[in-house]
Amino acid sequence: MLTVPAGDSTTVRLRLAGGQLDDPFDGFEQVLQARRAEADVFFESVVPDSLGEDERRVVRQAPAGMLWSKQYYYLDVERWLAERGVDPLAADPRIRNSAWYHMANDAVISMPDTWEYPWFAAWDLAFHTITLSLVDIGFAKV
């Protein structure tokens, strides 16, 4: 556990690997600088030159936020209704989603804001694909 007192700061270094590394932080700074340089080259190719510096930063931060807010989303409305003693074929307008008994979600999706989870807003997801397509076209298509 890490405790950071008010007004202080700390740096945590993390390296993900497929197996045990003898010295996981050997060359850490070089690897970090190489990934930053790769990101710079990538974003230089997708951000329009016509944008100002602040706008360029926003465009660069948008995919990071979208990737960070991916969440596993599971919702089986028929099961949810059954657990509450509601017949899924007898839609009750007083019960949320009762007419959507056929809906079953089991996927990682892009959440617009993590505080909205587990709200499922398909119209938001459509707009997310624009940003996500810059960095993860496969996920954006799904």
Side-chain angles (χ1 to χ4, degrees), residues 8-55:
D8 285 357
S9 66
T10 190
T11 300
V12 176
R13 292 182 173 192
L14 173 69
R15 188 166 193 176
L16 303 175
Q20 181 72 28
L21 301 175
D22 292 332
D23 188 359
F25 298 104
D26 181 39
F28 184 88
E29 286 301 323
Q30 293 83 2
V31 171
L32 183 62
Q33 292 305 319
R35 298 299 90 81
R36 284 182 177 157
E38 290 168 1
D40 290 343
V41 168
F42 170 76
F43 281 104
E44 192 64 33
S45 72
V46 297
V47 177
D49 293 332
S50 61
L51 298 180
E53 189 58 32
D54 284 344
E55 294 164 318

Side-chain angles (χ1 to χ4, degrees), residues 102-114:
H102 59 283
M103 186 175 191
N105 294 312
D106 182 12
V108 173
I109 65 172
S110 172
M111 266 300 139
D113 293 297
T114 54

